[in-house]
């Protein structure tokens, strides 16, 4: 087993994972997935249907060039994805620019999200203005308060002149169809955001097989979002590849899609990763509760000593499992 701080890249895996593909031999290539046939779910109360997986904008930076990133996004669209996640700060704005270059001509066929880290109305409005320019659109489908960390963040957002005013104004003027919030670390902060405001359209949170063991969004936040009928997005499905120490990509993604969510953002940066995730989605069958429990038990062995050892400390010091 690799040591805790060793970098891990997402594995690509051959068609033996998928029953009936008939691939034999180490030199055999997995065929490209068929276009379309990706399951769709209604995104909470929005009335919009999204593919259960969507392209994450953060990992486009790993393609290294805009030309490669544009080809990757075009491939995602051609495979049938309609959900494209982004944020104002991803790749210093280049991720939004790539989306604008590729998706502007098919704007009404796709659901584009972006996010804002600013907590004042003025700064948030400035961010949205530049995001719309980069995305080459008059509106985003979903605008999100990015990475809400703690109660201090919550207080800034809802203070007079806070970002909440910008979000409400943007929806009123048609610059965003829906708005929500995201966060990586503390489910109780998500609960505070839900208590502070009743009209959220969506929520984005880490939901993966190791999550139930520590500061669990699945156990603390997810039930409240389901009760409200919100659009629910999962992220960190692979726990930034950390879970690939003990689970394969199919097990990771199948676990998250078996939860009561509507879509999962997957950080694909290669065609192989994207093709694998599309195949998994196309062949998705939900886990039983017993299977979910078994996968979760295996997930917590990803770090030496399980969650009683360095893996738990990794979370505590701000690691990106979540």
């Amino acid at each position: 087993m690799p040591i805790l701080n060793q970098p891990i890249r997402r594995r690509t895996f051959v068609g033996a994972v998928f029953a009936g593909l008939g691939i034999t031999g180490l030199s055999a290539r997995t065929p490209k997935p068929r276009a379309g046939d990706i399951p769709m779910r209604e995104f909470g109360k929005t009335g919009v249907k999204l593919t259960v997986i969507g392209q994450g904008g953060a990992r486009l930076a790993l393609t290294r060039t805009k030309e490669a990133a544009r080809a990757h996004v075009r491939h995602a669209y051609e495979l049938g994805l309609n959900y494209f996640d982004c944020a104002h700060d991803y790749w210093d704005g280049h991720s939004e620019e790539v989306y604008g270059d590729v998706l502007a001509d098919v704007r009404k066929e796709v659901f584009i999200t972006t996010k804002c880290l600013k907590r004042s109305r003025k700064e948030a409005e400035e961010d949205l203005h530049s995001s719309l320019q980069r995305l080459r659109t008059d509106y985003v489908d979903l605008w999100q308060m990015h990475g809400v960390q703690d109660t201090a963040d919550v207080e800034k957002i809802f203070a007079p002149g806070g970002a909440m005013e910008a979000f409400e104004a943007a929806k009123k003027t048609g610059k965003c169809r829906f708005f929500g919030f995201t966060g990586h670390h503390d489910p109780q902060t998500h609960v505070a955001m839900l208590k502070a405001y009743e009209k959220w359209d969506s929520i984005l949170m880490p939901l993966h097989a190791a999550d139930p063991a520590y500061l669990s969004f699945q156990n603390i936040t997810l039930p409240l979002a389901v009760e409200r009928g919100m659009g629910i997005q999962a992220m960190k499905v692979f726990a930034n590849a950390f879970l690939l120490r003990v689970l394969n990509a199919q097990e990771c993604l199948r676990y998250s899609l078996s939860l009561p969510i509507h879509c999962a953002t997957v950080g694909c940066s290669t065609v192989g990763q994207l093709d694998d995730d599309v195949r998994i989605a196309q062949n998705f069958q939900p886990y039983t509760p017993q299977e979910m429990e078994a996968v979760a038990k295996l997930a917590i062995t990803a770090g030496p000593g399980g969650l009683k050892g360095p893996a738990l400390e990794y979370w505590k010091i701000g690691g990106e499992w979540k």
Side-chain angles (χ1 to χ4, degrees):
M1 180 177 291
I3 59 174
L4 184 63
N5 61 356
Q6 181 175 330
I8 300 175
R9 295 185 180 273
R10 271 189 60 188
R11 293 196 298 251
T12 56
F13 51 100
V14 297
V17 174
F18 305 98
L21 292 184
I23 293 178
T24 59
L26 293 176
S27 63
R29 286 191 174 186
T30 306
K32 293 181 180 180
R34 61 189 183 275
D37 296 330
I38 302 172
M40 304 183 80
R41 296 177 184 175
E42 193 157 320
F43 192 46
K45 296 178 180 178
T46 66
V48 175
K49 286 189 176 182
L50 299 183
T51 49
V52 294
I53 60 170
Q55 173 65 48
R59 295 294 187 267
L60 291 179
L62 297 180
T63 64
R64 302 306 182 204
T65 70
K66 285 187 181 180
E67 182 180 5
R70 286 192 289 266
H72 183 91
V73 172
R74 191 173 299 109
H75 184 59
Y77 169 76
E78 290 171 350
L79 286 176
L81 272 68
N82 73 345
Y83 163 46
F84 292 86
D85 159 273
C86 209
H88 182 271
D89 293 336
Y90 286 166
W91 199 11
D92 296 325
H94 297 317
S95 292
E96 288 184 330
E97 291 170 352
V98 167
Y99 278 176
D101 291 343
V102 177
L103 302 176
D105 291 339
V106 293
R107 180 66 187 90
K108 293 185 178 181
E109 300 175 34
V110 294
F111 189 92
I112 298 176
T113 85
T114 198
K115 313 181 191 79
C116 172
L117 281 168
K118 301 300 193 297
R119 302 303 185 228
S120 73
R121 175 173 184 164
K122 181 177 183 296
E123 291 175 312
E125 287 178 339
E126 290 171 350
D127 264 19
L128 180 59
H129 178 72
S130 62
S131 288
L132 293 176
Q133 287 185 319
R134 293 170 182 168
L135 291 165
R136 296 171 55 188
T137 182
D138 296 329
Y139 68 96
V140 289
D141 295 286
L142 175 63
W143 193 29
Q144 297 164 102
M145 297 183 186
H146 193 183
V148 183
Q149 293 277 67
D150 50 31
T151 54
D153 255 0
V154 179
E155 290 170 1
K156 291 176 185 176
I157 288 166
F158 289 98
M164 192 69 241
E165 295 179 7
F167 277 72
E168 289 185 322
K171 190 173 185 179
K172 186 175 181 179
T173 58
K175 293 182 179 180
C176 71
R177 296 172 64 194
F178 312 106
F179 61 68
F181 67 94
T182 85
H184 295 245
H185 300 294
D186 184 3
Q188 293 297 346
T189 300
H190 274 52
V191 172
M193 289 288 282
L194 291 174
K195 288 181 178 179
Y197 193 75
E198 294 289 332
K199 299 179 181 179
W200 297 113
D201 295 304
S202 74
I203 187 169
L204 172 62
M205 55 187 144
L207 290 167
H208 55 69
D211 170 82
Y214 181 69
L215 290 178
S216 176
F217 286 86
Q218 179 179 327
N219 293 333
I220 296 171
T221 310
L222 182 59
L224 298 177
V226 171
E227 182 179 340
R228 286 201 186 182
M230 299 172 67
I232 303 170
Q233 307 157 91
M235 63 174 167
K236 301 293 178 66
V237 170
F238 307 101
N240 276 10
F242 205 84
L243 290 180
L244 297 179
R245 296 168 179 263
V246 294
L247 300 175
N248 63 43
Q250 185 184 43
E251 291 166 329
C252 290
L253 186 50
R254 190 178 173 192
Y255 181 94
S256 296
L257 292 181
S258 294
L259 295 170
I261 68 167
H262 304 112
C263 49
T265 297
V266 288
C268 306
S269 60
T270 71
V271 169
Q273 292 171 355
L274 178 58
D275 287 355
D276 284 341
D277 290 344
V278 168
R279 284 191 206 90
I280 294 166
Q282 288 172 334
N283 292 278
F284 171 71
Q285 293 293 328
Y287 275 135
T288 66
Q290 295 77 17
E291 290 170 330
M292 292 284 281
E293 183 178 358
V295 173
K297 286 181 178 179
L298 184 56
I300 63 172
T301 68
L307 290 182
K308 294 181 180 179
L312 178 55
E313 188 61 27
Y314 184 72
W315 278 3
K316 285 183 177 179
I317 64 175
E320 285 297 326
W321 275 64
K322 287 288 185 182

